[in-house]
Amino acid sequence: GQACSATGPLPAGSGTALVERGTCAFQEKLDNVTAAGYSAGIVFNSAVPGCDELVTMAAASETVPFVFVGRTTGLQLLGVPGVSH
């Protein structure tokens, strides 16, 4: 999911949340990841031209690591069949 309030609540968890870019600001994603109990978050790029390019996220937390990866990396982390570099 996208970890946005408008797209529904993020299921509770304790590991690393993997969320897709889009719909809401990075800070909202981070706040929702933190509120759901995750210890870290990874945002992967949405399906747009240049979707494997990296961006700088405007989000900050004192306690929860939060990073951005390209779409291919995100799909690989999800275990989507047939996705390679």
Side-chain angles (χ1 to χ4, degrees):
Q2 293 182 334
C4 298
S5 300
T7 59
L10 190 63
S14 59
T16 300
L18 179 61
V19 298
E20 187 174 14
R21 180 182 183 185
T23 307
C24 65
F26 292 122
Q27 188 64 52
E28 182 177 341
K29 292 178 185 299
L30 174 57
D31 292 345
N32 289 334
V33 163
T34 303
Y38 291 90
S39 57
I42 299 172
V43 177
F44 68 97
N45 213 347
S46 53
V48 297
C51 62
D52 276 322
E53 293 180 18
L54 301 180
V55 300
T56 300
M57 293 190 300
S61 170
E62 301 263 335
T63 58
V64 176
F66 200 59
V67 299
F68 187 89
V69 298
R71 183 157 187 86
T72 299
T73 300
L75 295 175
Q76 289 172 329
L77 289 169
L78 286 171
V80 174
V83 177
S84 62
H85 285 287

